[in-house]
């Protein structure tokens, strides 16, 4: 007997679409056909070239031509997927720079990912100049059943509203970093970066669409006329993500696209008047950046961009989420933008994007480092909250506190979308042993966020080979089974140090306190601390800042230090910049001891002016409250602050610095991350071996009774430090091995 069965591949390659009646001026030159470029397979991209489509002036504009394919799945589910206009490119590396060359003619493409096996039907229809939809063709294809190793499916929110999962019901916990753009080597850098990330156990990256690397609608001539070279680069990156198992967040715009006169970034980030196609300068509909958020015309144009992005990339299971903005509130202070208009825009556009995207990808946005704007996370169609952590004092604890509040209040997953011990660099000169880097990385995991905190410094991570930090983390978490099952954070028992001094330490020598100050201007701190010991001085950045603010600044408050001054005590400070004419005042117990004017000079258009001002003030012996204020016009920045000849004391009430503990708990397992009190960043960051912690014990409740294996690992090296057993009956009590930095424990019940 002759075998006449048509396999899915043979069947699909014979599909020809029959054209139905169209207006005479819109008839295709030939019957429209769908030429398959890939074979149908479960959870694999299906891509087709659509031939015979009538030409229009602007194929990007769905008001002129909008082609949609309606897929009916074997189970009866229906999905409408838009087609898109495509141009192929080839790349090459010339003298270290990527060069793209257009290949062939532009054409219509359609992408779809089958999520179940069986018989599919597809119908293609089009709207021409607002008329329609007009049915163009119908066809069918079969997808063979296939066992696929590992997780698969679209990313969605898990049942605990804390973590993500894929649509096969498997948890998805993220380990990764920002990888937002490349320089001269272009996508060749992504080849290297994603390979390195996969080898280190990472599975997440965040990308920006921007005017300098991978723009879509980010140049003066691109309004509803999208940049095909940028779109092709993003195609390539999606292919790499599928190859290396990396989930992608796509950020549509960064704040600089709406800036006109920001002085930061050397004045190079003001793209509204140089690149933004929505500006009237380039023929767009908006007289200023605020009008982008209020104009109905601009909104309609933006929705067309969303349709194009969905058509081209929403097929991908590796698309973790869409993100509207990077730190849009970065420009509230110095622009015409009205914050309420931006909020209203999000409330409108988030559900609009969900209506456009048939695959149901998650939607979010982001705000500046340190900012808390609850109103964004209260929007129902913003699926998860974001926080950017830069120069946070005691960064691991701060991330855990923010995560706990966000999850409780908004009932949504939480992500630390960017982090750094500095907002300006990987900061190896101040964090040479990567203590702060690790504390932020691990705190994302141990606080119950969707995964690790996501570092900003991707190029340095690659060039400085920071990947072993990720490899160690992945190795430990794999042993803990973190990627599976349910986890909840262990409640913190941390209490802040008191502001009052206790009794002097008998027989202790005087010390000189080099007082650590936090250097991130946007963080609101208490600005009051008791300098009881050298460690208290090293950890003063958890309360005190380098910026002494002027009256009128909403974050202005006096800097107060409680001290026990010995004979010959001296306060010394050095200021290196001012934003306006400053006037420094030092008081002791309310009595003014010192006042000096520090005027601003130089370029008044810059954010600040450099100064070189140092002063020293003798302090009287005894217990005092030393207060530093600024009664000038704007902030003054302190480069250093030191008090010589202080006497060590206890804290009031016997409070002491203790190891800081974060952890996750399952019914029969736990992951515990512990940091020495002498190593909480930035304390002792430049010290190779901080003082050891000996004989510590860790107690927590929540585990089932029974015998447990407890394995302690060095987070810097991955080395096993201790392997022991513990019995649990109501409360777990663990002996912590001696350590001087940070450790992580994997606790698992022994059957």
């Amino acid at each position: 007997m002759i075998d006449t069965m048509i396999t899915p591949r043979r069947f699909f390659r014979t599909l020809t679409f029959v054209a139905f009646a169209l207006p005479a001026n819109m008839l295709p030159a030939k019957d429209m056909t769908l030429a398959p470029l890939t074979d149908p397979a479960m959870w694999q991209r299906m891509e087709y070239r659509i031939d015979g489509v009538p030409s229009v002036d602007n194929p990007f504009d769905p008001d002129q031509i909008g082609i949609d394919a309606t897929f009916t799945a074997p189970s009866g589910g229906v999905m409408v997927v838009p087609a898109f206009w495509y141009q192929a490119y080839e790349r090459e590396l010339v003298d270290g720079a990527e060069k793209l060359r257009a290949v062939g003619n532009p054409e219509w493409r359609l992408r779809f990912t089958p999520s179940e096996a069986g018989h599919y039907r597809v119908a293609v229809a089009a709207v021409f100049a607002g008329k329609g939809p007009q049915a163009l063709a119908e066809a069918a294809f079969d997808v063979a059943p296939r066992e696929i190793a590992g997780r698969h499916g679209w990313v969605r929110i898990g049942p605990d509203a804390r973590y993500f999962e894929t649509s096969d019901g498997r948890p998805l916990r993220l380990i990764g970093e920002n990888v937002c753009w490349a320089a001269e080597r272009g996508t060749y850098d992504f080849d290297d970066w994603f390979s390195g990330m996969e080898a280190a156990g990472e599975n997440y990256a965040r990308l920006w669409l921007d005017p300098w690397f991978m723009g879509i609608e980010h140049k003066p001539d691109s309004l509803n006329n999208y940049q095909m070279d940028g779109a092709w680069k993003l195609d390539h990156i999606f292919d790499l993500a599928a190859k290396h198992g990396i989930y992608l967040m796509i950020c549509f715009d960064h704040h600089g696209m709406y800036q006109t006169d920001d002085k930061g970034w050397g004045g190079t980030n003001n793209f509204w008047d140089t690149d933004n196609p929505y500006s009237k300068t380039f023929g767009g509909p908006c007289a200023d950046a605020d009008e982008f958020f209020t104009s109905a015309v601009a909104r309609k144009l933006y929705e067309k961009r969303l349709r194009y992005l969905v058509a081209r990339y929403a097929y991908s299971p590796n698309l973790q989420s869409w993100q509207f903005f990077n730190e849009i509130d970065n420009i509230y202070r110095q622009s015409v933008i009205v914050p309420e208009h931006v909020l209203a825009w999000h409330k409108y556009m988030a559900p609009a994007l969900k209506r456009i995207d048939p695959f149901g990808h998650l939607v979010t946005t982001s705000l500046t480092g340190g900012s808390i704007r609850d109103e964004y996370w209260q929007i129902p169609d913003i699926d998860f909250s974001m926080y950017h952590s830069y120069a946070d004092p005691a960064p691991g604890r701060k991330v855990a506190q923010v995560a706990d509040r966000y999850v409780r209040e908004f009932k949504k997953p939480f992500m630390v979308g960017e982090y750094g011990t500095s907002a300006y660099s990987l900061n190896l000169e101040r964090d040479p042993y990567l203590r702060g880097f690790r504390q932020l990385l691990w705190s994302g995991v141990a606080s119950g966020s969707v995964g690790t905190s996501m570092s900003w410094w991707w190029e340095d991570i690659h060039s400085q080979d920071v990947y072993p930090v990720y490899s160690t983390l992945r190795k430990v978490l794999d042993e803990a089974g973190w990627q599976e099952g349910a986890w909840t954070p262990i409640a913190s028992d941390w209490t802040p140090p008191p502001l009052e001094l206790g009794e002097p330490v008998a027989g202790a020598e005087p010390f000189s306190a080099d007082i650590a100050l936090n250097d991130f201007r946007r963080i609101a701190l208490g600005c009051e601390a008791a300098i009881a010991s050298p460690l208290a001085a090293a950890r003063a950045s958890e309360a005190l800042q380098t910026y002494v603010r002027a009256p009128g600044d909403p974050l202005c408050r006096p800097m107060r230090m409680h001290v026990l001054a010995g004979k010959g005590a001296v306060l010394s400070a050095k200021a290196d910049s001012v934003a306006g004419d400053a006037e420094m005042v030092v008081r002791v117990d309310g009595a003014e001891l010192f006042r000096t004017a520090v005027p601003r000079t130089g370029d008044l258009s810059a954010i600040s002016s450099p100064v070189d001002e140092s002063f020293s003030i003798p302090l009287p012996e005894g217990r005092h409250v030393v207060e530093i204020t600024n009664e000038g016009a704007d902030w003054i920045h302190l480069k250093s602050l030191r008090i010589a000849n202080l006497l060590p004391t206890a804290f009031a009430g016997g409070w002491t610095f203790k190891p800081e503990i974060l952890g996750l708990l399952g019914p029969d397992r736990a992951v515990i991350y512990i940091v020495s009190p002498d190593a909480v960043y930035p304390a002792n960051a430049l010290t190779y071996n901080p003082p050891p912690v000996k004989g510590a014990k860790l107690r927590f409740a929540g585990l089932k009774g029974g015998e447990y294996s407890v394995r302690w690992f060095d987070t810097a090296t991955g080395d096993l430090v201790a392997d022991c057993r513990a019995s649990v009956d109501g409360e777990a009590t663990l002996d912590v091995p001696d350590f001087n930095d940070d450790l992580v424990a994997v606790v698992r019940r022994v059957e």
Side-chain angles (χ1 to χ4, degrees), residues 339-371:
E340 290 77 12
H341 294 167
V342 180
L343 180 64
W345 184 95
H346 279 82
K347 290 179 179 179
Y348 171 88
M349 206 59 72
L353 175 52
K354 291 196 168 187
R355 287 191 297 270
I356 294 168
D357 183 358
F359 297 94
H361 293 291
L362 302 178
V363 175
T364 191
T365 193
S366 75
L367 305 169
T368 51
S371 70

Side-chain angles (χ1 to χ4, degrees), residues 548 558-559 561 571 584-586 626-630 638 641:
V548 186
M559 180 191 297
M561 294 166 287
L571 169 75
M584 291 287 296
V585 181
V586 177
V626 180
E627 180 181 282
I628 300 175
T629 61
N630 173 13
L638 298 182
L641 181 63

Side-chain angles (χ1 to χ4, degrees), residues 63-85:
D63 287 345
Q64 294 189 30
I65 180 171
I67 300 177
D68 291 303
T70 300
F71 290 86
T72 302
S75 61
V78 174
M79 184 178 292
V80 179
V81 180
F84 62 95
W85 192 241

Side-chain angles (χ1 to χ4, degrees), residues 237-449:
I237 293 169
F238 265 97
D239 289 343
L240 288 174
K243 175 182 176 181
H244 294 290
I246 293 175
Y247 288 85
L248 301 177
M249 175 185 287
I250 306 301
C251 180
F252 296 147
D253 284 289
H254 82 295
H255 55 278
M257 291 299 294
Y258 305 91
Q259 286 181 179
T260 56
D261 59 356
D262 184 67
K263 299 167 186 175
W265 296 276
T268 63
N269 204 17
N270 301 307
F271 289 107
W272 177 257
D273 288 331
T274 64
D275 286 90
N276 198 315
Y278 285 84
S279 170
K280 279 192 174 178
T281 302
F282 308 112
C286 303
D288 58 35
D290 187 63
E291 198 169 344
F292 171 83
F293 297 98
T294 60
S295 164
V297 175
R299 286 187 178 187
K300 183 176 180 180
L301 285 165
Y302 188 86
E303 287 180 81
K304 291 179 181 181
R305 185 212 292 188
L306 295 182
R307 173 186 165 92
Y308 185 84
L309 291 167
V310 165
R312 190 153 183 166
Y313 307 109
Y315 75 87
S316 176
N318 288 84
L319 177 58
Q320 181 268 331
S321 64
W322 307 112
Q323 184 179 65
F324 285 120
F325 292 104
N326 175 76
E327 299 186 353
I328 188 59
D329 63 330
N330 222 328
I331 54 177
Y332 287 178
R333 300 181 307 279
Q334 74 283 342
S335 73
V336 300
I337 287 179
V338 178
E340 290 77 12
H341 294 167
V342 180
L343 180 64
W345 184 95
H346 279 82
K347 290 179 179 179
Y348 171 88
M349 206 59 72
L353 175 52
K354 291 196 168 187
R355 287 191 297 270
I356 294 168
D357 183 358
F359 297 94
H361 293 291
L362 302 178
V363 175
T364 191
T365 193
S366 75
L367 305 169
T368 51
S371 70
I372 305 292
R373 298 182 187 271
D374 293 356
E375 59 271 22
Y376 285 88
W377 316 125
Q378 292 165 348
I379 299 173
D381 289 298
I382 297 294
D383 293 306
F384 60 99
S385 62
M386 304 282 291
Y387 180 76
H388 289 183
S389 174
Y390 284 106
D392 270 329
R397 177 180 0 111
K398 177 61 178 290
V399 162
Q401 290 168 340
V402 176
D404 176 67
R405 187 176 83 81
Y406 275 34
V407 172
R408 279 190 294 103
E409 292 192 13
F410 308 125
K411 306 296 188 295
K412 298 177 180 180
F414 167 81
M415 174 187 281
V416 183
E418 292 183 17
Y419 85 80
T421 55
S422 166
Y424 308 104
S425 71
L426 183 59
N427 204 27
L428 289 177
E429 68 279 4
R430 294 186 181 181
D431 190 20
Y433 308 113
L434 294 175
R435 290 194 184 107
F437 186 93
R438 289 199 310 275
Q439 288 169 31
L440 277 159
L441 185 74
W442 273 97
S443 64
V445 170
S447 64
S449 79

Side-chain angles (χ1 to χ4, degrees), residues 467-533:
Y467 291 128
V469 176
Y470 290 91
S471 301
T472 294
L473 178 138
R474 185 59 185 258
K475 167 190 168 183
V476 173
L477 292 179
D478 283 351
E479 176 161 326
W482 175 65
Q483 287 285 358
E484 303 296 339
W487 298 92
T488 56
I490 294 174
S492 172
D493 63 354
W494 180 82
T495 58
L499 298 177
E500 300 81 27
L501 298 175
E503 294 302 312
V505 177
E509 294 293 323
F511 70 98
S512 291
D514 290 307
I515 298 171
L517 302 174
N518 184 276
D519 197 32
F520 197 46
R521 189 156 39 97
R522 295 176 185 153
I523 295 178
L525 299 177
C527 293
E528 189 168 7
I531 312 301
S533 64

